[in-house]
Amino acid sequence: MMTAAIFAVLFLFILLGLPIAVCMGFTAVIFFVVLGQADVLLMLPARMYSGTTSFTLLAIPFFILAGNLMNTGGMTQRLVHFAQCLVGHIRGGLGHVTVVTNMIMAGMSGSAVADATGTGVVLIPAMEKAGYPRAFSAALVGAASTIGPIIPPSIPFVIFGSITGTSVGRLFLGGFLPGVLMGLFLMLTVAILSKRRGYRREQRATRRELMISALQATPAWGAPIIIIGGILAGVFTPTEAAVAASLYALIVGMLVYGEIKPADLPRILWETIQNTVQVMFIISAAGIFGFLLIRQQVPMTFVEGLMSLTTTPWVVLLIINVILLILGCFMEAIAIMLLTIPVFMPLIARVGVDPVHFGVLLTLNLMIGLLTPPVGMCLYAVSSVSKVPLWPLAKELWPYIVALTVCLGLVTYVPGLVLWLPNLVMGVAR
Amino acid sequence: MTPSETTSGRWAALDRGLAGAMRGACLAAFVVLIVLVTTLILIRFAPLFSLGWADEIVEMAFAWLTFLGAAALWRTRSHFRVDLVPGMLAGTRMGQALEILLSLMALAFFLVFTYEGAVLTLRTAMPSPILAWPKALWYMIMPISGLIIIGYTMRDLWLLFRGRADLAGEAVKEGHS
């Protein structure tokens, strides 16, 4: 009853339009006062402060900075050109280019919204010029951008690891194959739609054009090599890899491509600060909301309630997936993560699901939520870049949402897709 | 120039000054973060000297960035929120009433946050382990940011009661420029 009341009040505030961070904090304040535990409010600032002190979370501003530097520094355009030479000749060529570009970009940036904006600005006008409907192009850019946080690096994985104590390195490795799978499913969907709608092929690039474009994009490839290679080799922690990627992106953007001028830096830093604070303030407020949940024993109540219905792992995962998909329609991904992790993790431990497997499937699920109306951050981002209204865009998105949901099903019920690579590289977790 | 125009001009100047100060302080905190975290990583690979105190400054810079940044984003209404219902009711009396209600709820929360933050800051007497600086320096950004947010929430309420929510919208546009 208490669990239902807490979440009912929280969702009411969210739907009314109160900022998410304030929804969490204000709900906690109300319940502590109503339950006669106002003395606990003394803990409010300390709980909120402690949410900002994790060294792992320092990776967030640096991954955002790396993404902003890459978008400003000309890496995105060169990767698009390379992908165009590589797969542009397949039917629906620029559609495949969009997916491949986002898969490569995913190895550099950890944010879907940053990828959607970065690639959308370049690809949507190019696709429109080549005769693709603007809504199709915008929808595809949005769907492909969700690969970003699945292929490492990933801001959601950093947050999941920091809250649950799961190895961020294992999560990064665990996301690699599901990310590739998402790309293949999206490409299959593009191929089917392109055949049905008669979209054209681009002229096949000559070997020389392919070589030149690959050469021009070579410095851009350095970032994923630093990030993924550095973590794989045990040279970097995720936070250190994020710093290294930022420095590398700055050097390439300024000295190699010459597209970042010193005068651009304050703007890039300020944009990074804004994006970081939007996430960090929610994480901070989640500290006090999580404290409310634990004091009212909400996770335990939820686990007991669900376990009385079923103890079968696949049914539990199905229920969790459905809950997350519904929440994803109405809430922002990081907020859902912060709200549900304390509730779901004890359940996951009870039914014996590997936390790395759960972290990846939770994130993939939330990425689908970025596309679903009425609240989808990537939906808003591509709508803003492309000027396609929300609902026509949502209509174009559904084939990709179906494809990604099938992918989610596979990742949920074939744990090997997630666990094979981390077990291979880092050994089986004890 | 009428007295009310002079007053609004002073408020606008105060707003611009505060916005500039918050932006400058956040940028400074971020630059400190970048320099120190990068140096800490370099030292791990080439341990030429020790920088034990840097962890404490990193913690402070990250906290200042988060809370002061939250106040800067509050000014421009840039925090994540689901604006479906406010968007549907925009421009109506119901919409205005909803915005007033939301501002009042935010005000209630930030009053508690600021008060408790001030209590924590004033009551913390222990120094930090390495630098031996008062730990209050780390916590004081919470009541400071809370006060700024309360100020901007009051401004929004005042504009909403006067039916001039459009002026708060101007601040949003400015913030994204």
Side-chain angles (χ1 to χ4, degrees):
Chain A
M1 190 63 192
M2 181 57 67
T3 306
I6 290 172
F7 280 97
V9 170
L10 178 78
F11 290 136
L12 176 70
F13 289 164
I14 289 172
L15 280 178
L16 283 177
L18 200 60
I20 307 281
V22 181
C23 290
M24 290 181 177
F26 193 46
T27 304
V29 168
I30 288 176
F31 275 89
F32 282 134
V33 171
V34 168
L35 296 169
Q37 301 170 7
D39 52 324
V40 174
L41 291 177
L42 197 68
M43 305 277 287
L44 187 145
R47 286 272 162 183
M48 287 185 69
Y49 180 87
S50 64
T52 67
T53 55
S54 151
F55 188 76
T56 310
L57 290 177
L58 265 176
I60 294 174
F62 288 103
F63 278 135
I64 294 175
L65 178 62
N68 284 341
L69 288 167
M70 284 164 203
N71 283 337
T72 314
M75 286 192 186
T76 311
Q77 290 93 317
R78 282 162 180 88
L79 285 173
V80 168
H81 182 56
F82 170 64
Q84 206 166 346
C85 292
L86 195 67
V87 292
H89 58 278
I90 306 171
R91 186 185 286 279
L94 277 177
H96 298 294
V97 169
T98 304
V99 178
V100 171
T101 306
N102 271 282
M103 285 168 78
I104 302 171
M105 287 284 290
M108 306 177 184
S109 135
S111 154
V113 178
D115 290 357
T117 315
T119 57
V121 169
V122 182
L123 277 164
I124 296 170
M127 288 179 81
E128 200 179 9
K129 206 170 153 192
Y132 292 85
R134 199 194 291 184
F136 169 82
S137 319
L140 181 56
V141 166
S145 71
T146 60
I147 302 171
I150 306 297
I151 292 182
S154 160
I155 290 171
F157 287 166
V158 169
I159 295 172
F160 184 88
S162 132
I163 298 171
T164 62
T166 309
S167 155
V168 177
R170 292 187 81 87
L171 285 162
F172 276 11
L173 288 173
F176 193 80
L177 284 181
V180 173
L181 195 68
M182 285 167 80
L184 293 176
F185 269 74
L186 289 178
M187 286 177 83
L188 184 68
T189 313
V190 170
I192 294 168
L193 289 175
S194 300
K195 197 170 179 192
R196 270 195 194 165
R197 299 177 182 180
Y199 292 153
R200 56 186 253 190
R201 300 162 194 263
E202 302 297 311
Q203 203 174 1
R204 184 188 280 270
T206 63
R207 195 168 289 176
R208 186 183 145 75
E209 284 170 332
L210 183 64
M211 291 294 286
I212 290 172
S213 70
L215 214 63
Q216 284 172 336
T218 301
W221 284 93
I225 291 170
I226 288 174
I227 296 167
I228 302 168
I231 294 170
L232 276 183
V235 179
F236 292 139
T237 64
T239 307
E240 291 170 347
V243 175
S246 300
L247 289 177
Y248 181 80
L250 181 67
I251 291 167
V252 171
M254 279 185 108
L255 304 179
V256 181
Y257 292 151
E259 295 198 17
I260 299 177
K261 307 277 176 278
D264 296 328
L265 289 177
R267 180 185 54 78
I268 295 171
L269 289 180
W270 181 240
E271 275 176 16
T272 304
I273 289 170
Q274 287 178 303
N275 297 339
T276 302
V277 170
Q278 282 175 330
V279 175
M280 283 307 300
F281 198 50
I282 295 176
I283 292 176
S284 168
I288 187 69
F289 186 78
F291 187 53
L292 168 75
L293 294 185
I294 289 163
R295 272 192 67 105
Q296 306 313 320
Q297 300 193 320
V298 170
M300 276 67 83
T301 313
F302 181 80
V303 171
E304 296 308 327
L306 203 58
M307 296 293 274
S308 67
L309 291 175
T310 179
T311 51
T312 317
W314 77 266
V315 182
V316 170
L317 288 177
L318 179 69
I319 293 170
I320 288 177
N321 269 325
V322 172
I323 292 173
L324 289 171
L325 284 171
I326 294 170
L327 286 176
C329 294
F330 299 99
M331 281 178 69
E332 198 274 326
I334 301 294
I336 299 175
M337 197 168 225
L338 293 165
L339 287 175
T340 56
I341 286 174
V343 180
F344 286 154
M345 280 312 282
L347 186 65
I348 287 307
R350 282 277 283 273
V351 294
V353 174
D354 188 288
V356 174
H357 178 211
F358 181 65
V360 174
L361 79 87
L362 172 99
T363 307
L364 205 164
N365 191 313
L366 297 181
M367 291 308 104
I368 297 173
L370 291 179
L371 301 172
T372 47
V375 180
M377 297 303 288
C378 283
L379 191 69
Y380 288 144
V382 284
S383 169
S384 154
V385 169
S386 64
K387 309 282 179 257
V388 177
L390 226 51
W391 290 107
L393 187 59
K395 221 170 108 186
E396 274 290 333
L397 263 167
W398 77 261
Y400 304 112
I401 293 175
V402 170
L404 292 173
T405 309
V406 173
C407 194
L408 172 67
L410 277 173
V411 169
T412 304
Y413 294 116
V414 187
L417 279 172
V418 175
L419 298 176
W420 177 74
L421 195 57
N423 286 347
L424 181 75
V425 176
M426 300 172 84
V428 179
R430 288 162 198 276
Chain B
M1 191 179 279
T2 64
S4 73
E5 277 173 339
T6 312
T7 311
S8 66
R10 280 183 193 150
W11 279 115
L14 179 68
D15 174 45
R16 277 197 302 274
L18 191 55
M22 285 193 290
R23 187 180 165 129
C26 285
L27 282 170
F30 195 31
V31 170
V32 167
L33 265 184
I34 292 171
V35 171
L36 285 184
V37 174
T38 308
T39 313
L40 283 170
I41 293 168
L42 292 176
I43 285 175
R44 194 164 76 80
F45 292 105
L48 299 175
F49 53 93
S50 165
L51 213 62
W53 53 267
D55 286 338
E56 293 189 356
I57 301 294
V58 164
E59 181 191 318
M60 185 197 276
F62 202 21
W64 275 66
L65 180 74
T66 301
F67 290 105
L68 202 58
L73 261 61
W74 193 265
R75 172 182 170 269
T76 56
R77 297 184 170 188
S78 303
H79 283 281
F80 283 141
R81 72 168 191 159
V82 178
D83 56 4
L84 190 72
V85 177
M88 284 191 307
L89 297 176
T92 65
R93 287 184 74 82
M94 279 284 283
Q96 189 186 1
L98 177 63
E99 289 294 344
I100 289 172
L101 177 70
L102 295 177
S103 290
L104 287 172
M105 290 199 286
L107 187 64
F109 170 69
F110 283 110
L111 281 171
V112 175
F113 171 74
T114 306
Y115 173 76
E116 298 294 358
V119 170
L120 177 74
T121 305
L122 295 172
R123 282 191 187 165
T124 305
M126 65 169 181
S128 67
I130 299 171
L131 289 167
W133 290 356
K135 199 71 181 150
L137 287 173
W138 277 255
Y139 298 141
M140 65 191 280
I141 192 57
M142 288 189 284
I144 291 173
S145 305
L147 276 177
I148 296 170
I149 292 174
I150 287 170
Y152 278 115
T153 310
M154 304 272 270
R155 175 202 68 176
D156 289 348
L157 273 169
W158 184 68
L159 291 170
L160 283 163
F161 276 119
R162 291 186 64 200
R164 299 299 308 273
D166 54 315
L167 290 180
E170 288 301 309
V172 176
K173 283 177 209 158
E174 186 197 326
H176 285 290
S177 61

